[in-house]
Amino acid sequence: MHVRMNTIFGDRDKTAAVLDYIEGRDRAVVEAALGTGGLATYADWDSGVVVAASYWDEPAHSSEAVLTEVRRDVELLAGGTVTAEQYEVTARVWHSRPGRGAVVLLHGVQLESARLDDAVPFLNGVLLPELAQCERPCIAEILVDRDSSSAVVLTVWENEHVAGDASPAVEALRARGVEHGVKFVTTTRYTLFGVSQGGVPGVELWLPPLGP
């Protein structure tokens, strides 16, 4: 599975209008498209930054003309710019479908390019399973871009209290990652606005096997 993360930097006063447009127009297009895995939207209301993350079985399916048109319209509506990043979803845990207002944390990770064969299995097979047991996040994902040797650890928590309770465990995992060529460099916090019904149908725990 792959994810295209469109980050919209626009006028803060237009954040609600941008989200309403994405939910009313983009969601229907994404969920009806070939190879779709759903759409999640979240926002930083203080800065006006909106993220629309669409999931696909193949990256090429995220570049259909109708999807490109919607993204162009969003950029115009926001009065700003849209950046796009592509990642492979290398591991995922889906415990429950979070509701609007849930806390979304994106931990930006830099991987040592010469140690990808150690770093990625650590994220998939060690960090994520342990993270998934921290007060049971609704969703936890490992997103990897091997070309840039970067990754994102994405978690969604029911509320601020649960996210805060998990912080010590998350910090411990971050420290252990250094030994495997995994360096956490940024953390951004968003509020969930919308998510496709059911996520990945029938999948509660998806972790690739270790080794070749």
Side-chain angles (χ1 to χ4, degrees), residues 6 31-33 48 74-75 78 82 84 104-105 131-132 136 143 153 172 194 210:
N6 295 294
E31 293 182 347
V74 167
E75 188 172 30
V82 177
V104 181
L105 297 178
L131 184 60
R136 288 179 63 87
L143 315 177
V153 178
L210 293 175

Side-chain angles (χ1 to χ4, degrees), residues 71-145:
R71 293 176 189 129
R72 183 196 63 211
D73 292 344
V74 167
E75 188 172 30
L76 292 172
L77 177 62
T81 59
V82 177
T83 64
E85 297 172 297
Q86 294 272 12
Y87 295 95
E88 178 188 358
V89 184
T90 58
R92 185 180 200 185
V93 173
W94 183 289
H95 285 311
S96 61
R97 183 172 184 266
R100 181 171 293 184
V103 177
V104 181
L105 297 178
L106 301 184
H107 300 283
V109 178
Q110 190 62 46
L111 311 176
E112 290 186 28
S113 57
R115 300 180 63 188
L116 290 180
D117 289 343
D118 182 18
V120 176
F122 171 77
L123 290 173
N124 292 345
V126 178
L127 185 143
L128 189 66
E130 293 191 22
L131 184 60
Q133 297 180 36
C134 299
E135 296 293 329
R136 288 179 63 87
C138 301
I139 301 170
E141 296 177 344
I142 304 297
L143 315 177
V144 175
D145 178 3

Side-chain angles (χ1 to χ4, degrees), residues 170-188:
V170 173
E171 290 302 316
L173 289 168
R174 288 163 60 111
R176 289 169 57 190
V178 176
E179 302 174 5
H180 300 272
V182 174
K183 182 180 180 180
F184 285 75
V185 292
T186 61
T187 298
T188 50

Side-chain angles (χ1 to χ4, degrees), residues 131-173:
L131 184 60
Q133 297 180 36
C134 299
E135 296 293 329
R136 288 179 63 87
C138 301
I139 301 170
E141 296 177 344
I142 304 297
L143 315 177
V144 175
D145 178 3
R146 293 177 184 270
D147 291 339
S148 65
S149 298
S150 63
V152 174
V153 178
L154 183 154
T155 56
V156 182
W157 308 85
E158 183 179 349
N159 53 51
E160 290 282 357
H161 176 73
V162 175
D165 285 348
S167 292
V170 173
E171 290 302 316
L173 289 168

